Amino acid sequence: MVNDHPVVGTPKSPQEGGPGGGLNCHYPEMQDWEPCYSPENRTCWLKHKHNEKRIDIMTDYENEWEIPKGKVRKFYLEVSEQPISPDGTTMEHGKVFNRTYPGPWLEACWGDWIEVTVKNNLRWNGTSVHWHGFRQFESFHMDGVNGITECPIAPGDTFTYRFRAMQYGSAWYHSHYSLQYGDGLLGPITIYGPSTANFEADEAFRPLLLTDWNHRSVFEDWPLMLKSGVAPSMTNILINGVGQFGSGGKQKEKYTLYLDEGKKHLLILINTAVDTTFVFSIDNHTMEVIEMDFVPIVPYNTTNLKIGIGQRYHVLVHGLENPYEAERYGNYWMRVIPARKCSKFPYGPDEQMGIFRYNTTYQTMASAPDPMSEPPLYETNCADEPLDKLVPKIPWTVGNPVNIDPSVNPKKLPANESYIFNVGLTMSGGPNTSTPYIPDDQPYARWDMHIAPFRINFSDPTLLSLSSLDSLITKPHLDIVTLPTSNPDDDKWIWMVITAPDKVPTEGARIFFPAAHPIHLHGHDFAVLRQSSKNWYDDPEIGHIGEGKRWFTPDKLNCENERLDCENPTRRDVVLLPASGYVVIAFKADNPGAWILHCHIAFHASSGLAMQIIENKDLIPAIMEKDKPVIEEKCRKWREWYGEPKNLWDWHEPKHFQDDSGV
């Protein structure tokens, strides 16, 4: 207790800088409470002094009245461009926060209000910053998606994002402006809160950001991909901005952490890649998985972990009782392996990406021996962790969908009322067309998942145009779905079927082929009711009857269908859509806003694989009323900057400025 209010200490390892122990969580408005979070009880956070009430692992973190009342924590980020050399080879066009790659680790506490002021120092680009996985309850306009929730931050301008940390766990913040995060514009963020398993004091490491990397800017790769139709190959893998490439004087040391014998250590894993799903493991060690995305789960043990783009896991690494028995020097490889068919490298990158050591004397040695450990055998296929392992600690019971009328053929629904979405490629744009796609010298194959390849207007964000929603809906490239109006306090569920067909349909309008996609929804955790690698549609060539026709006609898309898991299913904010397969997801319509649903393969999102969901539009104006003048002023500055052709990278042809979806 400090000044008669509770203070919860957090368990950061001394290896992460400073003495043992980390950020202190202050709750100045909660004088009748005291901390209960400790190495012996990580499930409890605060307990009331005068009764049995607790704020703990079973507290409903989606209820703003149940979570603790923290303090305001302020951060400052500057966006700039500079050469960076994370693996010893220079990439000339890096884009970074605060002159570092990755950006600074932002730390806050459950229930805090977070304020982040972002200044844009880029010469040729706007920017916006998305807070991946945050629910943004009643702060949808702070979600950081230019063209939907805001205009970009113009060069030279600043903007302050403000939102509450209702969830706890770890995530990342990244630019949502075109492909910028692929050039380095990202960083980790941790919200401290309870855990579903205990671990020792001062044994938590900073998040490990796992990413693929190129020595070219993604903005150099993008036009090549659009022209060839082939995604670029990646060059390397990084852990927290550290990798190795080639040999010579600039070769970097492996990323290294030190473990204590017989203790449990908290490790946070975040996939921040552009195009790669990873399988993570530590030779001879067991990981106890306790959280995925922002959802605490019933712990389970594994030797390897599949992590899709945008997904996060908290795991406890079980330190060995005798680490020198299995490996004579007590050194073990940390492996980051690209998943088969969810990655593209011209040659196999080094999978021995980092080292766990037990002998701390190596910290002072000029060189330490490499591990001699061997990896266990496990599958490296392109997949999520099995759903039956990902059991949320706080149970949900999913209700039947309010957006599906069992008597209506889904093909006859207006486009903005659809609930089945097919991922594929569309030949779009070209000369003498009315479409907004650039380049327009010929039709190009672009990804989409709804009406047409997605493309926003930087200068005209959806949230400032809701009074003209009927007009917006008629623009195919905005890909708008509107949800039935409901009281957010009611338990109303929206169901969506997302498919990845592998064949040209009979109408031949679009191109389909097998590809997996990490699908991310903003503003919500969603329940995964079913995830299948089988085709939703018929395939007469192989005698396959589509599972959609066989088991999931509109009258069977409900919780009475035993093939759909409605009782405490896996829930998260990124799910892998299997190649040739489908997912059925559901979320509560309790968070008004304009939300984007998109593939988190950066090149696919830039190509157009995204759509936007307008939820309870009638409640939006009142919620954003106080901040609307700030959003409008930001747009005024953006339009002023954009309106001067000499500010644009190709000022002779201003229309070339936005040559992708914008997100």
Side-chain angles (χ1 to χ4, degrees):
M1 302 291 290
V2 174
N3 297 327
D4 201 33
H5 73 261
V7 178
V8 183
T10 58
K12 188 189 296 185
S13 167
Q15 295 178 52
E16 303 300 350
L23 186 73
N24 286 326
C25 298
H26 289 260
Y27 297 98
E29 297 183 33
M30 303 183 70
Q31 291 88 352
D32 291 333
W33 296 76
E34 60 186 3
C36 55
Y37 181 73
S38 69
E40 297 74 33
N41 187 2
R42 295 292 188 196
T43 65
C44 191
W45 194 246
L46 295 170
K47 63 180 180 180
H48 203 280
K49 295 178 184 178
H50 309 301
N51 56 45
E52 298 299 315
K53 188 172 183 181
R54 292 174 179 252
I55 297 175
D56 60 15
I57 198 72
M58 298 306 296
T59 298
D60 181 7
Y61 50 79
E62 292 202 336
N63 186 333
E64 62 178 329
W65 305 110
E66 295 293 326
I67 66 175
K69 296 179 180 178
K71 59 181 288 187
V72 176
R73 295 191 185 269
K74 298 184 179 182
F75 305 92
Y76 182 77
L77 298 174
E78 285 202 9
V79 176
S80 57
E81 188 166 10
Q82 67 184 47
I84 53 178
S85 307
D87 60 1
T89 299
T90 300
M91 198 277 278
E92 293 290 343
H93 302 291
K95 296 168 184 65
V96 294
F97 290 107
N98 292 8
R99 297 290 180 184
T100 63
Y101 174 70
W105 182 17
L106 306 186
E107 301 173 83
C109 300
W110 189 16
D112 282 348
W113 283 264
I114 298 173
E115 291 187 4
V116 188
T117 299
V118 179
K119 182 178 181 182
N120 182 10
N121 291 326
L122 298 176
R123 173 66 181 89
W124 305 107
N125 282 271
T127 197
S128 66
V129 182
H130 171 57
W131 315 94
H132 184 104
F134 282 84
R135 188 166 179 244
Q136 297 291 2
F137 181 68
E138 296 193 347
S139 56
F140 48 81
H141 48 295
M142 298 293 167
D143 195 41
V145 185
N146 42 224
I148 296 180
T149 63
E150 60 184 89
C151 293
I153 305 170
D157 194 16
T158 62
F159 182 75
T160 298
Y161 295 92
R162 189 177 193 275
F163 53 93
R164 194 174 183 198
M166 295 181 65
Q167 305 133 290
Y168 49 86
S170 293
W172 54 309
Y173 57 94
H174 62 83
S175 170
H176 226 301
Y177 182 104
S178 187
L179 288 156
Q180 280 179 354
Y181 91 76
D183 279 352
L185 210 49
L186 56 87
I189 183 168
T190 294
I191 308 300
Y192 291 102
S195 299
T196 58
N198 296 334
F199 56 95
E200 280 75 10
D202 305 338
E203 294 290 358
F205 298 114
R206 73 173 56 239
L208 296 187
L209 273 57
L210 315 177
T211 194
D212 45 17
W213 187 248
N214 263 340
H215 299 143
R216 310 172 304 275
S217 167
V218 287
F219 290 95
E220 295 175 294
D221 280 334
W222 167 247
L224 300 178
M225 173 189 159
L226 194 61
K227 187 173 183 179
S228 68
V230 179
S233 296
M234 307 307 291
T235 306
N236 210 351
I237 298 173
L238 309 176
I239 294 182
N240 278 359
V242 176
Q244 298 76 37
F245 185 78
S247 60
K250 292 185 178 181
Q251 181 80 332
K252 293 199 172 186
E253 296 293 328
K254 299 280 187 180
Y255 192 88
T256 301
L257 294 171
Y258 289 83
L259 300 180
D260 294 319
E261 299 172 25
K263 292 187 176 181
K264 291 183 179 182
H265 309 73
L266 177 63
L267 195 64
I268 300 165
L269 303 169
I270 306 176
N271 185 335
T272 60
V274 168
D275 190 37
T276 306
T277 292
F278 293 115
V279 185
F280 179 89
S281 67
I282 306 164
D283 292 355
N284 296 88
H285 285 72
T286 297
M287 295 180 289
E288 184 178 1
V289 186
I290 61 174
E291 185 174 302
M292 61 175 175
D293 297 355
F294 272 135
V295 180
I297 63 173
V298 177
Y300 72 94
N301 290 341
T302 186
T303 59
N304 62 91
L305 195 62
K306 296 180 176 70
I307 313 173
I309 302 172
Q311 293 180 346
R312 299 88 67 202
Y313 286 93
H314 281 207
V315 303
L316 300 182
V317 179
H318 294 205
L320 301 177
E321 295 290 346
N322 186 355
Y324 304 98
E325 182 178 5
E327 206 276 2
R328 63 180 298 180
Y329 298 109
N331 302 320
Y332 296 88
W333 286 119
M334 187 190 314
R335 300 183 188 269
V336 183
I337 302 175
R340 292 184 296 107
K341 299 185 179 180
C342 269
S343 57
K344 187 178 182 183
F345 290 83
Y347 44 82
D350 184 3
E351 67 182 44
Q352 299 170 341
M353 286 303 306
I355 300 173
F356 277 108
R357 302 187 189 275
Y358 284 87
N359 188 342
T360 56
T361 62
Y362 291 140
Q363 291 176 298
T364 59
M365 296 174 62
S367 70
D370 280 346
M372 295 185 292
S373 60
E374 295 291 333
L377 295 176
Y378 50 79
E379 289 288 333
T380 59
N381 58 308
C382 180
D384 276 339
E385 284 290 285
L387 296 184
D388 60 359
K389 291 185 176 181
L390 304 177
V391 181
K393 183 69 175 178
I394 302 175
W396 277 9
T397 298
V398 175
N400 285 328
V402 299
N403 62 318
I404 298 177
D405 185 338
S407 65
V408 177
N409 185 328
K411 292 183 178 181
K412 296 183 178 180
L413 288 171
N416 66 295
E417 296 179 13
S418 298
Y419 59 86
I420 298 177
F421 306 95
N422 304 314
V423 172
L425 286 160
T426 297
M427 298 302 295
S428 53
N432 303 316
T433 65
S434 58
T435 61
Y437 307 113
I438 299 295
D440 59 359
D441 57 312
Q442 65 180 55
Y444 289 90
R446 294 177 171 90
W447 285 100
D448 67 3
M449 65 184 304
H450 187 25
I451 310 169
F454 187 68
R455 189 182 192 273
I456 51 87
N457 182 341
F458 286 136
S459 301
D460 190 17
T462 301
L463 281 182
L464 295 183
S465 304
L466 289 179
S467 60
S468 305
L469 183 58
D470 290 343
S471 175
L472 297 181
I473 290 171
T474 65
K475 299 178 179 180
H477 60 278
L478 293 180
D479 288 290
I480 291 174
V481 169
T482 56
L483 302 186
T485 300
S486 64
N487 184 338
D489 295 329
D490 294 340
D491 197 21
K492 303 294 186 183
W493 289 88
I494 303 299
W495 288 28
M496 303 176 74
V497 178
I498 306 170
T499 82
D502 64 355
K503 57 189 283 294
V504 179
T506 54
E507 61 269 22
R510 299 168 70 207
I511 306 167
F512 297 94
F513 63 88
H517 303 272
I519 302 297
H520 175 46
L521 174 63
H522 290 210
H524 296 273
D525 289 338
F526 53 75
V528 184
L529 308 184
R530 187 173 175 87
Q531 184 180 42
S532 174
S533 59
K534 302 295 185 181
N535 204 321
W536 179 266
Y537 296 102
D538 293 348
D539 188 346
E541 292 180 9
I542 62 173
H544 171 73
I545 300 176
E547 294 194 352
K549 177 187 291 185
R550 181 188 296 179
W551 294 328
F552 303 114
T553 51
D555 59 310
K556 296 177 182 176
L557 276 172
N558 55 57
C559 288
E560 284 67 52
N561 189 330
E562 61 183 12
R563 291 184 171 86
L564 297 167
D565 184 7
C566 292
E567 287 300 324
N568 199 27
T570 298
R571 65 178 185 268
R572 58 188 325 162
D573 56 62
V574 182
V575 66
L576 188 74
L577 171 62
S580 304
Y582 64 92
V583 293
V584 183
I585 64 173
F587 61 91
K588 287 184 280 189
D590 60 356
N591 195 9
W595 307 111
I596 187 172
L597 176 78
H598 66 94
C599 175
H600 225 299
I601 295 173
F603 295 109
H604 290 184
S606 277
S607 180
L609 214 173
M611 54 181 278
Q612 51 185 324
I613 298 169
I614 310 299
E615 181 176 346
N616 275 315
K617 74 177 183 67
D618 295 337
L619 301 180
I620 290 174
I623 295 172
M624 68 177 292
E625 181 179 9
K626 184 180 71 171
D627 292 323
K628 186 176 180 181
V630 179
I631 304 292
E632 290 176 329
E633 175 63 11
K634 181 184 180 188
C635 281
R636 185 193 67 78
K637 292 179 179 179
W638 167 259
R639 292 166 187 148
E640 180 180 357
W641 179 87
Y642 180 71
E644 173 50 67
K646 291 185 178 180
N647 287 332
L648 310 183
W649 60 269
D650 187 358
W651 62 275
H652 292 287
E653 290 287 349
K655 72 176 184 178
H656 291 171
F657 180 78
Q658 184 185 341
D659 61 356
D660 72 350
S661 69
V663 297

